[in-house]
Amino acid sequence: MFDSHSHSISFTTLEMADRKHTSTLLHGIQILFIDDDYVNFLYFNELLGGSGSEVMRAVSVSQAIYKLKYENAIRVVFMSAEFAERFNYSILRFFKDRFPDLPIITIIDDQSSKAQKRCIEEGSDCYIHRHIDNNHLVELIMDNITSDQINSYANH
């Protein structure tokens, strides 16, 4: 899914005015990454390295359901569009129906407007292309957690 030519940049090199504040906002946030490709998980996890967030992985629907049900600190879900496509994208609707307040971000593998549209129609809150840079990734996570969550983390 992820392009081997993409550059992995440590969180500490983020081009943000207040890196410490951003790290404080993400500290303790659990992110669920749903994909059965371990290389994709490693890359995604590396992009968030040093952010203070914890990236959890699910390789199946049952693992994802279990983690979403019992890991109360999960605040954002990233799902591979390839994984969703195996279920004719209905897996997105399944998760959104059961966890309506949890943002689901789909990682799109290509520039296909059909895949983008289908992911949104089935319940994904937004999508991101596989050529992820960590600045955009952090902004996306922060945009998709509620202001109440941001305020509670900022007050620690």
Side-chain angles (χ1 to χ4, degrees):
M1 170 195 334
F2 294 108
D3 184 2
S4 61
H5 299 292
S6 295
H7 299 285
S8 175
I9 304 169
S10 170
F11 179 79
T12 58
T13 64
L14 283 175
E15 297 173 11
M16 295 183 173
D18 190 354
R19 234 179 286 134
K20 184 178 180 182
H21 183 65
T22 303
S23 182
T24 302
L25 293 176
L26 293 180
H27 182 75
I29 291 178
Q30 289 183 345
I31 299 166
L32 182 60
F33 183 80
I34 305 173
D35 191 359
D36 55 1
D37 187 326
Y38 188 64
V39 173
N40 292 340
F41 170 72
L42 288 176
Y43 181 77
F44 186 83
N45 198 31
E46 186 176 325
L47 283 174
L48 288 171
S51 70
S53 61
E54 177 186 355
V55 181
M56 303 171 71
R57 180 176 179 228
V59 298
S60 67
V61 173
S62 59
Q63 274 186 353
I65 292 169
Y66 181 85
K67 288 180 180 186
L68 289 169
K69 190 172 180 181
Y70 295 107
E71 297 289 341
N72 296 329
I74 293 174
R75 297 293 176 248
V76 181
V77 172
F78 283 84
M79 182 185 298
S80 158
E82 286 179 345
F83 186 88
E85 187 177 22
R86 284 187 220 128
F87 299 93
N88 199 23
Y89 298 98
S90 62
I91 194 66
L92 290 165
R93 177 60 49 208
F94 174 83
F95 282 123
K96 202 59 176 176
D97 287 347
R98 278 150 189 80
F99 307 99
D101 297 327
L102 190 63
I104 299 174
I105 301 167
T106 310
I107 302 169
I108 303 290
D109 298 333
D110 56 30
Q111 300 294 326
S112 166
S113 60
K114 179 181 175 185
Q116 295 167 4
K117 182 179 176 185
R118 187 71 191 270
C119 288
I120 298 298
E121 286 174 352
E122 291 298 329
S124 183
D125 291 279
C126 59
Y127 60 85
I128 188 170
H129 294 285
R130 70 179 172 150
H131 303 284
I132 300 172
D133 69 58
N134 56 355
N135 286 317
H136 184 63
L137 183 60
V138 169
E139 289 171 11
L140 189 62
I141 292 168
M142 291 174 61
D143 285 347
N144 279 281
I145 58 177
T146 67
S147 60
D148 289 342
Q149 290 168 327
I150 289 173
N151 290 334
S152 72
Y153 286 107
N155 292 328
H156 284 115

